[in-house]
């Protein structure tokens, strides 16, 4: 599996984890859900940046 595909897979997995965590949300756990969602977004952006930039 290419590095781009692996990064996209990890981003999707973290997004899925955020959805599961949000469904079980309890008082005081919002920060962990937000962190997973932010991580997923960051990994998606990194993956997209690598796709957009030609390899050297």
């Amino acid at each position: 599996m290419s590095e781009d595909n692996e990064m996209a897979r990890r981003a999707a997995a973290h997004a899925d984890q955020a959805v599961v965590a949000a469904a079980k949300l309890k008082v005081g756990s919002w920060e962990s859900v937000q962190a997973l969602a932010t991580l997923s977004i960051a990994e998606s952006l990194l993956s997209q940046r690598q796709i957009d930039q030609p390899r050297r």
Side-chain angles (χ1 to χ4, degrees):
M1 183 179 290
S2 75
E3 184 177 339
D4 294 337
N5 289 339
E6 178 61 19
M7 289 180 74
R9 188 200 63 74
R10 283 196 323 252
H14 286 125
D16 291 342
Q17 288 177 355
V19 169
V20 170
K24 298 176 184 177
L25 189 61
K26 295 178 183 171
V27 175
S29 62
W30 171 245
E31 290 81 11
S32 58
V33 173
Q34 188 175 19
L36 281 171
T38 302
L39 178 59
S40 174
I41 291 167
E43 288 177 337
S44 294
L45 291 171
L46 287 170
S47 177
Q48 186 61 44
R49 185 177 71 182
Q50 286 188 351
I51 291 170
D52 291 343
Q53 292 178 350
R55 296 200 183 238
R56 295 178 186 181

